């Protein structure tokens, strides 16, 4: 029983990690209409910047993390303005290839600047564990989950209570009409990417203490984040987070309790589960149903 | 002709020209080989220079260790070149040129790279890291009588059948040999011991686990659980939960992944499991694993080694290590110059072996090089631990197989000491 | 470009040039060049298959590398059983195609990102599966074969003989693909891509079209896997890596979406860019690849196959100034 509880707790913790990057994916999707395969790599880059900013521990890690977030906004806006804008990303194939190219570019820059060495990254939270019955949970996981929940709330506020959020949604939904009513579409797209990159940067500093910092750090996390985002319904932050938790827990339990799956194939289970869910509910758990007008 | 036809004809013409340009001067049929006769010099070597190639992962999941291997060998070679080069067995002094080729740990790319090296007239392929990619290149080496040597992999397959693969030889002690030594050490303690294994799901992980199982055969040591994870998995929490539940005496890390090992160590501590710990040689460095993983919480940490850890405080005053670190800082790419890993040390050692082989090489041919290499025995290897020797005269083993030492980490002295 | 090829005379000229080139190049070229040409053929056939799903029917698929791997492992099995080569080839195509069909049947009900995610799942799951069935696949180390040597009567070297066979298969599959997309199936696919409601109003079932496209795509991938084993003589689970699927999509778009000839250009791009990147700086291949991809995509957003059309538009515009310049609004 103790092992079961531990697995659920750990699955929940890892789910928060997947959710943190999934939120960035949801944001870029909602504000610019595309899926950004480079989101994880951009988060890695900003985490390296945070490491530089922390100056070997001289600067406290929350301050360094803040630097990462600011850097994230700048990088995201810059990439949108400098690269993404110059392509027809309404076309799904083009958008995919552009973001794949950015993924390679950013990963390559990290590799060139900092090498492929695995580095320590200090956590924002203290390194303690708390007992929960026969199991333990780390303060870091609790902190990560808390941050993720706060971000979800902020995103909901942004999209539904602010003019900026409304503008972002309008631009993603119908850029031509938005332009016609006088919105600065170009600037809004930059802001969208910038904000998404901020979330990606946040994901980076939350994840790096656990998985250690190296250029490919987010590669596999991206797959989980994509899965969480799609399962949750691509435009729903709440859905992405809940989906992330579900994926984390299902994966952990299946790997241990379903003998034929085993620990090496455990990733198959959430993917199959998502497949089944999408068959029944193509819009994901909390996504909006697509209606085609005839 | 319509417009688009007109537009396309230049494209066609360009394609045709490009194809013709690909052709050499003369047709080639079966039986043509490119290695030259016995007496004349092989490609890639002149009176003043010898050209080497290395195909190794420089991108993708193994980029870290692949680039270390390249940087290590490059350091030794640059050092030799700065001193004027190497005096070969035929009396000529030559400088060495090394070119790296990225294969991203992909077998098809590695084969392409070796063929490219042959086409570009390199003398040999040396020191590349990885198992699957190197195994794929062995037939190409055979077909072209192209030396494919001192490959950084612990796989048996690279060296264990040199009758069939005379042009290929590995360098590292085999993974199975390494961990069999530890298994025998455990068996020698003469009491029942339980072992839990965390293995990366590839040939290296499998070989490390197998070696341990071989070493403990017939003894009171038993493996109670083995959990696997894929390369690239960001976390191994569920595996650790299962392993910790066994409360085994020994936690055997059959992985070299430096992002997983410290995580697993921390997780074990969180779960209240404090076994004795085993780390394979590639990951035993204090800075890489013991410090980030809070290793002092464990009652004992073991590893096997054959070379000195450049980041260990014990060797901080060691002349060889200091020289190596200074040279690495000087010649390696800036992003990694301050942090050489074990793979860099092994690349550097490979350079020393090459130097010895070149010095014994009587003729500027590939065959003469292979003969010289196989004649080497008992040469001095820089940064090797005491008692470790190099012997390339065998035909079924890698040159460094014979001697690995089981060590235990001493937390006060912050170094490993021999136990087995 | 396809319009150009539609012209009968140029079609024959192009074909003749290609046949002559394929006939003589392997004799004269060094093994390295023949090897790269073989890999180009493998990539081109994979991309052509992928084009059915991602180009013609417009559905992003990230799993092509898994099917290529299935084809290659199937070929390994055939080689180990000692089957005749034709049978091995058919087995590769059939194994890959069958699994493709089985996957497509439920998956084609999904659309857009759900489909993409499932296709992404394929290579992700295939690698640990391949590692697990070690007895069959050789585990992580993979399997090496020594297979299909040039017969003595041909007086050819192995790499030359294999390249001829690979080229033959590639030509056959390109002709097959071309007929497929020109026929009613191809038109149906594009109709589904452009507007599925209109398609179904016209009696074209989107679901069946997707199943068909995906199955064809996996059959092509199976053939590509056979060709891969023939060229490399080695297969590992890493062949099916997810990254390869991403690179294939990139090459597809650069070559030209929904274009048979574009798939060939995509194959060239897929093989050539890592080589070029390695020449520039072997330690930074990822960065250089990303940079090249962005630049090329920017210069030719519709793919290399659109270059002749763009060139002729440019030429036209240079000769005759645009109406705007004359002050007409």
């Amino acid at each position: 029983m103790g092992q079961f509880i531990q697995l659920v707790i750990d699955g929940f913790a890892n789910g928060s990690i997947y959710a943190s990057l999934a939120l960035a994916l949801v944001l870029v999707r909602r504000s610019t209409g595309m899926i950004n395969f480079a989101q994880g790599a951009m988060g890695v880059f900003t985490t390296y910047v945070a490491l530089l900013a922390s100056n070997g521990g001289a600067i406290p890690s929350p301050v360094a993390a803040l630097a990462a977030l600011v850097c994230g906004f700048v990088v995201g806006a810059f990439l949108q303005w400098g690269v993404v804008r110059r392509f027809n990303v309404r076309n799904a194939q083009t958008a995919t290839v552009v973001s794949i190219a950015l993924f390679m570019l950013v990963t390559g820059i990290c590799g060139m600047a900092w090498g492929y060495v695995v580095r320590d990254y200090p956590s924002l939270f203290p390194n303690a564990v708390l007992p929960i019955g026969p199991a333990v949970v780390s303060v870091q996981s609790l902190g990560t989950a808390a941050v993720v929940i706060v971000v979800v709330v902020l995103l909901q506020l942004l999209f539904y209570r602010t003019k900026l959020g409304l503008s972002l949604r309008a631009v993603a939904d119908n850029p031509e009409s938005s332009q016609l009513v006088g919105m600065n579409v170009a600037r809004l797209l930059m802001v969208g990417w910038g904000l998404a990159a901020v979330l990606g940067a946040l994901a980076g500093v939350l994840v790096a203490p656990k998985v250690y910092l190296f250029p490919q750090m987010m590669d596999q996390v991206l797959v989980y984040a994509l899965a969480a985002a799609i399962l949750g319904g691509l435009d729903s932050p709440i859905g992405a987070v809940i989906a992330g938790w579900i994926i984390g827990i299902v994966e952990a339990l299946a790997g241990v309790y379903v003998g034929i799956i085993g620990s090496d194939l455990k990733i198959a289970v959430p993917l199959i589960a998502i497949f089944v869910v999408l068959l029944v509910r193509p819009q994901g758990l909390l996504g909006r149903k697509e209606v085609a007008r005839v | 002709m319509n417009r688009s036809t007109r537009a396309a004809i230049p494209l066609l013409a360009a394609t045709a020209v490009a194809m013709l340009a690909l052709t050499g001067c003369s047709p080639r049929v079966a039986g043509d080989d490119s290695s030259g006769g016995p007496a004349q010099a092989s490609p890639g070597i002149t009176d003043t220079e010898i050209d080497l190639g290395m195909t190794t992962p420089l991108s993708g999941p193994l980029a870290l260790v692949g680039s270390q291997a390249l940087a290590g060998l490059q350091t030794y070679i640059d050092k030799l070149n700065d001193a004027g080069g190497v005096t070969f067995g035929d009396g000529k002094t030559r400088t060495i040129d090394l070119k790296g080729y990225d294969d991203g740990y992909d077998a098809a790319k590695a084969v392409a790279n070796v063929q490219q090296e042959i086409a570009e007239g390199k003398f040999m392929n040396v020191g590349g890291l990885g198992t699957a990619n190197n195994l794929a290149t062995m037939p190409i080496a055979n077909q072209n009588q192209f030396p494919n040597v001192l490959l950084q992999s612990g796989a048996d397959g690279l060296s264990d059948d040199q009758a069939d693969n005379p042009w290929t030889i590995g360098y590292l002690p085999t993974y199975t040999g390494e961990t069999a030594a530890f298994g025998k050490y455990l068996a020698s303690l003469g009491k029942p011991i339980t072992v839990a294994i965390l293995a990366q799901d590839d040939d290296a992980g499998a070989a490390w686990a197998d070696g341990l199982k071989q070493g403990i055969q017939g003894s009171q040591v038993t493996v109670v659980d083995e959990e696997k994870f894929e390369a690239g998995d960001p976390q191994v929490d569920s595996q650790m939960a299962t392993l910790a539940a066994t409360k085994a005496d020994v936690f055997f890390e059959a992985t070299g992944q430096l992002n997983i090992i410290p995580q697993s160590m921390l997780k074990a501590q969180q779960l209240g499991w404090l076994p004795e710990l085993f780390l394979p040689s590639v990951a035993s460095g204090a800075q890489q694993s013991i410090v980030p993983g809070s290793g002092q919480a464990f009652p004992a940490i073991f590893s096997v080694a054959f070379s000195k850890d450049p980041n260990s405080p014990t060797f901080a005053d060691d002349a060889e290590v200091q020289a190596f670190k200074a040279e690495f800082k000087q010649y390696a790419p800036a992003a990694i110059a301050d942090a050489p890993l074990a793979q860099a040390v092994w690349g550097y050692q490979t350079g020393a072996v090459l130097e010895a082989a070149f010095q014994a090489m009587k003729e500027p041919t590939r065959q003469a090089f292979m003969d010289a290499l196989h004649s080497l025995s008992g040469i001095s290897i820089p940064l090797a631990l005491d008692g470790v020797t190099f012997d390339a005269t065998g035909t079924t083993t890698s040159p460094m197989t014979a001697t690995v030492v089981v060590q235990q980490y001493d937390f006060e002295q912050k170094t490993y000491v021999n136990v087995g | 470009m396809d319009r150009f090829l539609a012209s009968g005379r140029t079609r024959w000229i192009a074909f003749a040039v290609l046949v002559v080139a394929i006939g003589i190049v392997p004799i004269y070229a060094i093994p390295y060049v023949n090897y790269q040409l073989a890999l180009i053929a493998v990539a081109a056939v994979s991309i052509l298959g992928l084009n059915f799903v991602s180009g013609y029917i417009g559905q992003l698929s990230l799993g092509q590398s898994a099917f290529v791997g299935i084809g290659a492992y199937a070929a390994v099995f055939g080689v180990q059983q000692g089957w005749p080569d034709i049978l091995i080839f058919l087995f590769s195509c059939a194994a890959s195609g069958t699994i493709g069909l089985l996957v497509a049947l439920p998956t084609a009900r999904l659309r857009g990102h759900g489909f993409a995610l499932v296709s992404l799942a394929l290579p992700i799951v295939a690698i640990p599966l391949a590692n697990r069935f070690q007895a069959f696949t050789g585990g992580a180390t993979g399997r090496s074969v020594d297979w299909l040597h040039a017969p003595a009567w041909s007086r050819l070297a192995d790499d030359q003989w294999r390249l001829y066979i690979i080229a033959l298969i590639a030509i056959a599959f390109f002709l097959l693909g071309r007929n497929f997309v020109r026929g009613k199936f191809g038109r149906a696919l594009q109709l589904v891509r452009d507007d599925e409601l209109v398609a179904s109003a016209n009696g074209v079932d989107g679901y069946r079209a997707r199943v068909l496209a995906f199955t064809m795509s996996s059959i092509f991938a199976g053939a590509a896997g056979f060709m891969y084993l023939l060229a490399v003589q080695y297969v590992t689970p890493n062949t099916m890596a997810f990254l390869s699927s991403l690179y294939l999509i990139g090459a597809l778009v650069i070559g030209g979406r929904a274009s048979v000839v574009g798939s060939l250009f995509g194959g060239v791009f897929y093989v050539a860019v890592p080589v070029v990147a390695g020449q520039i700086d072997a330690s930074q291949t990822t960065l250089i690849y990303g940079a090249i991809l962005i630049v090329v995509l920017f210069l030719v957003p519709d793919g290399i196959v659109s270059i002749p059309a763009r060139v002729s538009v440019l030429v036209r515009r240079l000769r005759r100034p645009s109406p705007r310049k004359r002050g007409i609004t």
Side-chain angles (χ1 to χ4, degrees):
Chain A
M1 188 56 183
Q3 190 181 355
F4 179 81
I5 299 181
Q6 189 64 55
L7 289 170
V8 171
I9 292 178
D10 289 338
F12 176 78
N14 289 315
S16 301
I17 290 181
Y18 308 147
S20 65
L21 187 60
L23 286 172
L25 290 174
V26 166
L27 182 49
V28 85
R29 162 81 178 166
R30 279 198 87 163
S31 56
T32 66
M34 64 182 276
I35 290 198
N36 181 12
F37 284 92
Q39 201 73 56
M42 287 159 63
V44 173
F45 178 80
T46 50
T47 311
Y48 273 111
V49 169
L51 194 63
L52 269 183
S54 76
N55 206 2
I59 313 273
S61 46
V63 177
L66 208 59
L69 297 186
V70 171
C71 172
F73 187 84
V74 170
V75 167
F78 174 70
L79 283 179
Q80 202 285 332
W81 172 83
V83 178
V84 179
R85 163 175 84 115
R86 301 170 198 275
F87 296 90
N88 174 23
V89 289
R90 290 259 124 188
N91 177 294
Q93 257 72 299
T94 306
T96 302
V97 178
V98 170
S99 70
I100 289 173
L102 282 178
F103 161 66
M104 287 193 237
L105 208 57
V106 174
T107 304
I109 290 176
C110 292
M112 182 170 72
W114 292 287
Y116 288 93
V117 186
V118 171
R119 293 170 203 266
D120 263 344
Y121 184 83
S123 171
L124 291 170
F125 309 101
N127 251 335
V129 291
L130 302 171
I132 294 195
V136 294
V137 64
S138 70
V139 173
Q140 192 178 310
S141 331
L142 290 176
T144 305
V147 169
V148 161
I149 294 176
V150 167
V151 169
V152 169
V153 171
L154 288 177
L155 277 182
Q156 291 293 101
L157 286 176
L158 170 74
F159 277 125
Y160 293 109
R161 294 293 166 87
T162 68
K163 185 148 169 261
L164 174 64
L166 183 61
S167 313
L168 287 174
R169 281 191 292 141
V171 162
D173 187 50
N174 198 334
E176 292 87 8
S177 301
S178 308
Q179 182 113 38
L180 285 172
V181 301
M183 290 193 209
N184 189 336
V185 171
R187 194 168 346 135
L188 283 167
L189 289 173
M190 280 173 65
V191 169
W193 264 66
L195 288 178
V198 168
L199 289 187
L202 188 58
V205 300
L206 289 174
V207 168
K210 167 126 198 208
V211 305
Y212 297 88
L213 178 60
F214 56 105
Q216 303 100 319
M217 170 177 96
M218 289 288 218
D219 285 4
Q220 198 81 335
V221 177
L222 180 71
V223 174
Y224 284 103
L226 274 173
I230 293 176
L231 174 62
L234 266 173
D235 16 4
S236 166
I238 304 179
V241 172
I242 294 179
W245 287 331
I246 293 177
I247 290 175
I249 295 175
V250 167
E251 174 192 49
L253 292 177
V256 173
Y257 291 113
V258 183
I260 198 167
I261 300 276
S263 47
D264 47 331
L265 274 174
K266 63 182 181 175
I267 192 175
V269 177
L271 291 173
I272 295 177
I274 291 170
F275 175 54
V276 170
V277 169
L278 288 178
L279 276 179
V280 172
R281 257 184 95 84
Q283 71 272 29
L285 292 177
L286 294 179
R288 276 171 310 161
K289 208 174 170 80
E290 251 181 55
V291 176
R293 298 227 176 128
V294 185
Chain B
M1 264 196 257
N2 66 28
R3 215 175 293 125
S4 44
T5 309
R6 207 184 299 135
I9 288 224
L11 199 68
L12 249 193
T15 316
V17 168
M19 295 211 126
L20 287 175
L22 281 176
T23 68
C25 291
S26 52
R28 177 170 55 95
V29 293
D32 283 357
D33 73 39
S34 52
S35 61
Q40 36 176 182
S42 296
I45 186 168
T46 65
D47 283 349
T48 53
E49 186 177 291
I50 183 169
D51 292 336
L52 313 180
M54 178 199 286
T55 173
T56 191
L58 296 174
S59 65
L62 290 188
L64 166 61
V65 286
S67 54
Q68 290 275 333
L70 178 61
L73 178 55
Q74 188 71 62
T75 301
Y76 197 94
I77 286 178
D78 286 344
K79 180 183 78 153
L80 285 179
N81 287 342
D82 278 356
V86 181
T87 305
F88 282 55
D90 63 356
K92 304 221 171 38
T93 302
R94 299 179 172 90
T95 55
I96 309 175
D97 180 83
L98 173 68
K99 182 168 169 186
Y101 297 78
D102 177 19
D103 62 33
Y105 201 52
D106 176 22
K109 195 78 177 66
V111 170
N113 286 347
V114 168
Q115 291 187 333
Q116 187 175 355
E117 290 178 32
I118 296 172
E120 288 181 2
K122 300 287 177 228
F123 186 79
M124 66 173 141
N125 180 49
V126 57
L129 179 142
T131 299
N133 49 343
N134 282 321
L135 284 175
T137 62
M138 289 191 343
I140 310 293
N142 289 346
Q143 285 158 22
N144 291 280
Q145 297 170 11
F146 185 67
N148 187 26
V149 297
L150 303 174
L151 307 171
Q152 265 206 38
S153 158
D156 298 292
L158 290 174
S159 322
D160 64 2
D161 189 357
Q162 289 179 41
D164 269 354
N165 297 297
W167 294 90
T168 305
I169 189 169
Y171 172 66
L172 301 180
T174 57
Y175 300 130
T176 43
E178 224 183 79
T179 52
F182 180 65
K184 294 206 188 84
Y185 165 72
L186 285 181
S188 74
L189 297 176
K191 49 182 181 159
I193 300 178
T194 51
V195 180
I197 303 178
L198 176 68
Q200 62 191 44
D201 192 14
D202 66 5
D203 51 277
W208 277 317
D210 280 342
L212 174 76
K213 293 171 192 166
Q214 282 173 30
I216 62 176
Q217 256 179 1
S219 75
Q220 299 184 56
V221 185
T222 51
V223 174
V224 291
D225 192 20
E226 181 173 346
E227 296 292 323
K228 299 195 192 152
F229 68 92
E230 297 302 305
D233 275 356
Q235 45 81 13
V236 288
D237 289 344
S238 58
Q239 288 91 333
M240 289 309 297
T242 313
L243 291 175
T246 67
K247 302 252 171 270
D249 302 314
V250 174
F251 176 29
F252 185 88
E253 300 251 24
T255 168
Q257 285 197 233
L258 297 177
N259 58 322
I260 294 291
I261 291 182
Q263 266 195 58
S264 62
M265 290 165 70
L266 290 173
K267 193 70 186 166
Q269 292 166 41
Q270 283 178 5
L271 295 173
W273 179 41
L274 297 173
E276 301 192 339
L277 182 67
F278 173 83
L279 302 171
S281 58
V282 300
S284 56
Q287 286 307 111
Q288 303 159 319
S289 304
I290 302 185
V291 170
S294 294
Q296 65 276 8
F298 298 102
I301 299 185
F302 294 94
S303 185
V304 289
F306 67 100
S307 62
K308 297 177 185 171
D309 175 9
N311 299 305
S312 162
T314 332
F315 297 116
D317 296 328
D318 182 289
E320 264 192 338
V321 171
Q322 281 182 338
F324 166 71
K325 287 175 80 163
E327 288 159 21
F328 195 74
K329 199 168 164 81
Q330 186 182 349
Y331 295 114
I336 61 174
D338 287 319
L341 298 178
Q343 287 78 5
V345 172
W346 300 336
Y348 187 82
Q349 294 176 333
T350 309
V353 174
L354 282 181
E355 185 184 9
F358 289 156
Q359 285 166 345
M361 205 167 118
K362 297 280 189 298
E363 284 170 10
T365 66
R366 290 167 171 161
Q367 183 64 57
F369 170 76
M370 292 306 294
D371 294 337
L373 181 63
H374 279 295
S375 73
L376 295 180
S377 171
I379 57 172
S380 140
I381 303 281
L383 282 86
L385 293 177
D386 288 335
V388 168
T389 56
F390 178 92
D391 183 353
T393 56
T395 54
T396 56
T397 56
S398 89
M400 302 291 280
T401 295
T403 44
V404 278
V405 185
V406 178
Q407 303 186 314
Q408 181 174 349
Y409 192 73
D410 181 321
F411 289 99
E412 281 171 23
Q413 295 184 46
K414 295 205 199 299
T415 183
Y416 283 94
V417 290
N418 297 358
V419 292
Chain C
M1 184 79 170
D2 287 345
R3 207 167 27 120
F4 142 70
L5 278 181
S7 147
R9 176 154 74 160
T10 43
R11 194 199 301 164
W12 286 115
I13 298 178
F15 198 63
V17 166
L18 204 63
V19 167
V20 167
I22 291 179
I24 52 172
V25 165
I27 305 280
Y28 286 86
I30 53 176
Y32 172 60
V33 167
N34 283 346
Y35 183 74
Q36 298 290 60
L37 290 176
L39 289 183
I40 289 176
V42 172
V45 171
S46 309
I47 292 176
L48 180 54
L50 188 57
N51 234 326
F52 298 144
V53 180
S54 296
Y56 287 94
I57 211 170
Q59 178 62 61
L60 184 66
S61 169
L62 298 168
Q64 190 72 335
S65 60
F67 289 109
V68 175
I70 291 175
Y73 275 111
V76 167
F77 182 73
V79 169
Q80 287 175 333
Q81 304 298 102
W83 293 345
D85 299 324
I86 295 281
L87 185 59
I88 300 180
F89 176 71
L90 292 174
F91 183 60
S92 283
C93 298
S96 204
T98 310
I99 298 185
L101 178 64
L102 291 175
V103 170
L105 283 173
T107 310
R109 297 207 182 277
L110 300 175
R111 246 170 283 158
H113 300 102
F115 188 95
L117 185 65
V118 175
S119 68
L120 167 62
L122 292 168
I124 300 235
V125 171
I127 295 188
L129 269 179
N131 281 336
R132 191 184 273 205
F133 292 107
Q134 195 160 327
F136 168 52
T137 63
T141 320
R143 285 250 181 262
S144 161
V145 293
D146 189 17
W147 165 52
L148 230 168
H149 298 276
W153 56 260
S154 68
R155 302 203 324 130
L156 289 174
D158 283 342
D159 63 288
Q160 295 167 327
W161 178 254
R162 288 170 185 160
L163 180 56
Y164 280 129
I165 296 194
I166 288 175
L168 231 73
I169 300 176
I171 292 178
F173 269 72
F174 262 75
L175 288 175
L176 180 66
R178 191 166 153 278
N179 287 335
F180 179 67
V181 301
R182 278 173 187 286
K184 64 172 182 182
F185 292 116
R187 286 196 289 275
L189 294 186
Q190 298 195 66
L191 200 55
V192 170
R193 172 190 66 195
D194 293 334
D195 196 322
E196 191 156 342
L197 285 169
V198 169
S200 60
N202 278 312
V204 174
D205 180 8
Y207 169 73
R208 290 177 66 175
R210 274 192 293 274
V211 171
L212 180 62
F214 199 78
T215 309
M216 282 294 283
S217 163
S218 54
I219 293 177
F220 273 61
F226 174 89
M227 293 155 64
Y228 175 90
L229 185 68
L230 189 50
V232 183
Q233 303 280 305
Y234 198 89
V235 62
T236 72
N238 210 38
T239 312
M240 303 185 283
F242 162 56
L243 270 179
S244 305
S245 280
L246 288 183
Y247 290 164
L248 281 173
I249 289 275
L252 183 152
V253 172
I254 297 282
R257 261 166 300 187
S259 160
V260 174
V261 177
S263 307
L264 177 59
F265 290 135
V268 174
F269 185 85
Y270 182 86
V271 173
V273 173
V275 175
V276 169
Q279 293 292 75
I280 299 178
D281 186 344
S283 300
Q284 314 296 347
T285 50
T286 313
L287 186 122
I288 299 172
Y289 197 116
I292 292 179
L293 195 54
I294 288 233
V295 167
V296 174
L297 188 64
F298 180 67
L299 292 175
V300 279
D302 291 318
I304 297 178
V305 82
S306 68
I307 290 184
R310 281 171 70 113
V311 164
S312 50
V313 165
L314 205 67
V315 164
R316 222 181 325 147
R317 229 187 255 154
L318 283 175
R319 272 206 216 126
R320 191 168 27 99
S322 75
R324 253 180 281 153
K325 288 194 184 149
R326 290 199 210 129
I328 298 174
T329 38

